Amino acid sequence: MGRGGGVAESRALRKMPRAEAMRLVASVRVGRVVFTQRALPAIRPVNHVVLDGLVVFGTHRDSAVATQTAGAPTVVAYEVDQIDEEQRSGWSVVVTGLAVRVEAGERADRYHGRLRPWVGVADHLIAVTPRLVTGFRLVPRTAGASGLRRVMIGTTVEGTPDRAEE
């Protein structure tokens, strides 16, 4: 028995197939978009929907992410997860791809109809075409489980993640 109410401490990360990862992205409505702002990484929580194989999110016309994705396609990462801290289980998916503005029209109207913004109206739609999709599940480590890779994660004094594979 480990800490945390008897939950076993031994966990493993199981890589998931792309289709499963995209289903999980579609199963939640909020994620985080990672983009470049003034040559530095920036992260914003946004509402999204998965339609036509794209991750589509709305934002305000004057937002930082709207400014950075105006014009030419822009490389972004989009991350979603569900983690149960008490059970020490869950999953995480990162979609990396090209983000482009969705122009007004029938497609934009359909996307607007599916999005549920938390604040105001999302007057700027951005669609991410997935190029790289990586997903992992945090699962109990069992003897003889194939396809599981144990990753121990700690933190150094400076706060930098320290990973060691067994």
Side-chain angles (χ1 to χ4, degrees):
M1 296 247 169
R3 293 174 282 167
V7 176
E9 288 192 35
S10 184
R11 294 286 186 260
L13 291 178
R14 181 181 60 84
K15 188 172 182 178
M16 65 180 78
R18 178 186 177 107
E20 179 183 357
M22 288 303 294
R23 276 192 304 274
L24 289 171
V25 173
S27 74
V28 297
R29 294 290 175 227
V30 177
R32 288 161 295 283
V33 61
V34 181
F35 59 99
T36 303
Q37 183 179 23
R38 296 186 192 128
L40 296 171
I43 302 170
R44 299 290 187 274
V46 292
N47 299 88
H48 73 270
V49 64
V50 176
L51 288 171
D52 305 328
L54 306 171
V55 177
V56 181
F57 63 91
T59 187
H60 299 283
R61 191 176 319 269
D62 58 347
S63 71
V65 68
T67 300
Q68 293 304 313
T69 57
T74 303
V75 174
V76 300
Y78 194 80
E79 194 265 347
V80 296
D81 54 47
Q82 283 190 338
I83 305 295
D84 182 328
E85 290 184 39
E86 192 163 315
Q87 295 297 315
R88 298 179 59 201
S89 64
W91 56 268
S92 180
V93 175
V94 176
V95 175
T96 305
L98 294 175
V100 296
R101 180 177 180 184
V102 178
E103 299 298 333
E106 184 178 317
R107 189 170 81 146
D109 292 342
R110 189 163 54 92
Y111 295 163
H112 273 297
R114 298 284 303 273
L115 283 170
R116 302 288 181 250
W118 287 358
V119 178
V121 175
D123 55 10
H124 192 90
L125 291 175
I126 298 170
V128 180
T129 301
R131 300 288 183 180
L132 176 62
V133 177
T134 55
F136 291 93
R137 283 189 183 277
L138 182 60
V139 297
R141 182 157 179 88
T142 58
S146 64
L148 296 181
R149 185 173 61 134
R150 186 171 182 192
V151 179
M152 295 168 40
I153 301 174
T155 304
T156 64
V157 174
E158 296 82 25
T160 305
D162 180 29
R163 294 176 183 236
E165 283 192 35
E166 289 185 346

